[in-house]
């Protein structure tokens, strides 16, 4: 009779069969470790009372901590994290390819003017799309592409600086409203 109940049980999945095949001692150790982690979480986070907060402030160096001190500390942490985030953003921005940033700015201006294009359009296809309407911008885009894929490193950086200067002087089409 006991065997007949076993065949009525649903099929075990991969995780259940793996856990079932582990030794009982390992299973008990894993359960004890989980319980210890859960207890540590309860003690550290859920039981974080006002006295523990004020004791933490005393440990940091506040002589007679108050709620104002706690708010100042939290505000300082918030400002520090915000500054770190801003610095991280600036660092990430500096790592982006300056050629791609310049091309992105050109695409953005043209899209605002109502010239439809894919967001990943290369300079040559943008120049072809412009056609004879905007010859200065078309020539600038073709020069940009030619200088971007030039072999030497030094002249490429000088070319980029020149293209960036020309960018603001180009007769961009007016944005559509």
């Amino acid at each position: 009779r006991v065997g007949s109940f076993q065949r009525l049980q649903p099929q075990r999945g991969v995780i259940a069969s793996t856990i079932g095949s582990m030794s009982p001692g390992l299973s008990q150790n894993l359960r004890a470790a989980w319980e210890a982690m859960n207890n540590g979480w309860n003690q550290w986070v859920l039981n974080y009372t006002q006295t523990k907060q004020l004791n933490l402030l005393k440990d940091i160096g506040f002589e007679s901590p108050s709620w104002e001190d706690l708010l100042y500390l939290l505000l300082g942490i918030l400002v520090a994290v915000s500054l770190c985030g801003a610095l991280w953003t600036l660092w990430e921005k500096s790592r982006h390819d300056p050629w791609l940033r310049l091309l992105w700015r050109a695409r953005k201006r043209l899209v605002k003017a109502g010239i439809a294009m894919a967001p990943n359009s290369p300079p040559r296809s943008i120049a072809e799309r412009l056609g004879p309407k905007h010859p200065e911008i078309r020539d600038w885009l073709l020069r940009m592409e030619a200088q971007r894929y030039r072999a030497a490193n030094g002249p490429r950086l000088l070319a980029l600086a020149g293209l960036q200067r020309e960018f603001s002087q180009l007769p961009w089409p007016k944005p559509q409203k």
Side-chain angles (χ1 to χ4, degrees), residues 76-151:
I77 290 171
L78 182 66
V79 167
V81 168
S82 298
L83 286 175
C84 287
L87 289 174
W88 178 268
T89 303
L90 288 174
W91 180 73
E92 277 290 316
K93 186 177 179 182
S94 71
R95 290 184 47 204
H96 289 263
D97 188 352
W99 291 88
L100 293 178
R101 277 198 313 251
L102 185 60
L103 182 60
W104 178 81
R105 288 175 55 204
R107 273 193 211 115
K108 186 176 169 187
R109 284 233 177 140
L110 292 170
V111 166
K112 278 186 179 177
I115 300 170
M117 69 187 76
N120 58 350
S121 301
R124 182 167 299 277
S125 77
I126 297 171
E128 289 169 358
R129 181 170 287 277
L130 288 175
K133 274 185 165 180
H134 306 283
E136 298 93 349
I137 298 172
R138 186 187 68 228
D139 294 343
W140 179 83
L141 285 165
L142 293 173
R143 263 194 338 273
M144 178 186 189
E145 182 182 62
Q147 292 173 357
R148 165 72 165 141
Y149 297 108
R150 183 183 282 168

Side-chain angles (χ1 to χ4, degrees), residues 27-41:
S27 179
Q28 287 174 345
N29 288 342
L30 287 175
R31 182 165 179 86
W34 174 256
E35 292 295 329
M37 284 182 5
N38 197 18
N39 184 40
W41 171 263

Side-chain angles (χ1 to χ4, degrees), residues 148-169:
R148 165 72 165 141
Y149 297 108
R150 183 183 282 168
N153 249 355
R156 273 182 52 191
L157 294 176
L158 293 174
L160 175 64
L163 288 169
Q164 288 172 333
R165 277 191 306 276
E166 289 177 34
F167 178 83
S168 59
Q169 298 168 356

